[in-house]
Amino acid sequence: MTVSSVDPWSPSPAHFRAIVVGVVGIGAALLFRVPAILVLATPFAFVAVWSTATRPDNAPTLTSQISPRTIREGEATTWAAELCDVNAVDHVVAFAPPRTWLETRPHSGVVATGVDHGDSTTTAAVAVAMRCTHWGRHEIGPINVVAVSSWGAFRWRALDVGYQVTTLPLPEVFDAAPPQHRANGLVGLNRSSHPGDGSEFSGIRPFQTGDRLRRINWRRSLRSGDLHVTSTYADQDTHVALFVDALADFGTSGGIDGAASSLDTTVRAAGAIAEHFLLRGDRVSLQVFGSRGRSHVPPASGRGHLRRILDVLAVIDPDTSRAGEVRAGRGAIPGDALAIMLSPLISPIALQRAVSIASHGLTVAVVDTLPDDVHTDDDASTELAWRIRLLERQREVRSVQNVGVPVIAWRGPGSLDPFLREIARRAAAPRMARR
Amino acid sequence: MNSAKLQGWIDELHGTSRQQWWLRLVTVLAPLGALFAVTAEVGTWWPFGLVVVTVLACASAIQPDSHTALVAIAVCAAHWLITVDRVDTPWLPAASVCLLAYHAVNALAATFPTGGKVPTATLVRWLRRTMFGASVTVGMWLLVVLLDRRDAPGNGLLTALALAILAGSMFVIRARSVHASR
């Protein structure tokens, strides 16, 4: 519970009105002997007396919570509050003001409940469901909670603030059919080119010191008279290094139900690729450049690691300053990994970084996440500048492709298939051996 | 006018629930009903008062949590007292009940944001209370008419006593109903 301020029971303008009309009316009727005033003032006196007689003495106790605090895009969380000690309360109203990327149910964000004094319960519960339509960290509230006495005469208010909900990006649908890049880890699902402790048959060889007894091939051993073992290829994983360009956001974001901006596509695509490889048992690392805050996740595998990656993706905040660009040029390059860079490629920094990674001997692919329909404003000069920048971008992309870095447009499932197929083909091709 | 403020108003209008529109409509119509009671009694309209009360009623419908309704009630009551010189007309309790309805609906609307929906149980409870208040008003009017016809001296004291009895009985009824429900 994070109730920031509580106002005690206080009279409303309605109560003031009832008392003024009632008291002044009866007083005037008695003083001036005008019975019509008495009739006109009677209902107000009635309301004033009733309201005063039922004035709540104790302040209610507000207990509130929001659950769950971490959701995916498109999912909903619920703010719920319970007021205890509401003996003299007529009804309770809670109002969650509208927030960007938060859809409330009811749509107005106003929920109310009448306190039925017929049963023995002295609590009133209100709840507002909130659906997050965009990834990121969202502030919930401040939510006003108001308890009202009979005839709306007295009100008690509380302001509930300080809730934050983390909305993880909903990874897009992604799949890759081709075989993987050469594996270099210790465990995993991919067949290594090196023999080792795995499941795929490699051959039968004489027993060596250190071989496991369960690997002994008894049939061959009996035939030959010497101990032989069945050797296998090692099962190893791939380190997939994701580089996310968060230098700027282009296009208009309509949330999970609308159009996607470049950063939306980047974040969701990064989540999709990470999910795909992590569920295959590979290791995935993440480096976000051009973002404020945490920007690096070391390589690891498993579902828990996917959550870590999505957590970092969810808090991406583009740093468009010069300092952000300078920071973007730095960052460690992994030793041996399949590097995938996701960028709208408007800033040349991403392409420079991709070339730099490729020059370290890593296999790199650049995923272009610029939406097709990025609208600039109606200003002719801006429109012209944007077109010139797009032409320059085409030239930069061609030059990067010429040095062997493929640039692939993000199209969802199968986007990386040509690239993965190509590197698998390269790995399987005969190589010149040094003798 | 600040365009953001104007946009805020447009959004608020757009987000107003149907039920709140009805409540605001009653808020506007109730004081006009009180004026109509005067007109029905004397047979002539008061155009200036009609405009003033309409403006005040609309203002209080837009901002129910204000003292505008007090001014509107004062104008209606003053109009009755200036125009009508008798108490034995049934239009008097009718005007009084209209003012009570105006007060009640205004008080209820003030506790809800424009997009809110009043729970049905709460609406029924308020309606029941208002009807009870209306019956008390009619009872008071009958008492006043009775005393007026007898033309007995000391009407004010008797009326005050009657009010005290009414208030006491109302308090007892309310206390009994609460205790009975527990």
Side-chain angles (χ1 to χ4, degrees), chain B residues 154-166:
Chain B
N155 271 357
L157 190 63
L158 280 176
T159 309
L161 187 65
L163 178 68
I165 291 167
L166 270 175

Side-chain angles (χ1 to χ4, degrees), chain B residues 18-123:
Chain B
R18 188 182 294 179
Q19 191 191 54
Q20 286 290 328
W21 278 116
W22 279 108
L23 283 178
R24 308 298 155 121
L25 184 67
V26 174
T27 306
V28 173
L29 291 181
L32 294 178
L35 274 192
F36 176 77
V38 181
T39 306
E41 175 60 27
V42 298
T44 54
W45 280 99
W46 180 38
F48 178 70
L50 190 68
V51 172
V52 169
V53 171
T54 306
V55 169
L56 288 171
C58 289
S60 64
I62 293 166
Q63 291 241 320
D65 202 21
S66 66
H67 294 298
T68 316
L70 179 60
V71 182
I73 290 168
V75 170
C76 290
H79 180 48
W80 177 279
L81 296 172
I82 292 166
T83 316
V84 184
D85 192 25
R86 49 192 286 242
V87 291
D88 57 347
T89 166
W91 289 111
L92 177 59
S96 191
V97 168
C98 281
L99 293 181
L100 171 65
Y102 175 52
H103 169 79
V105 174
N106 208 262
L108 182 62
T111 63
F112 282 85
T114 51
K117 188 175 181 298
V118 185
T120 311
T122 305
L123 267 181

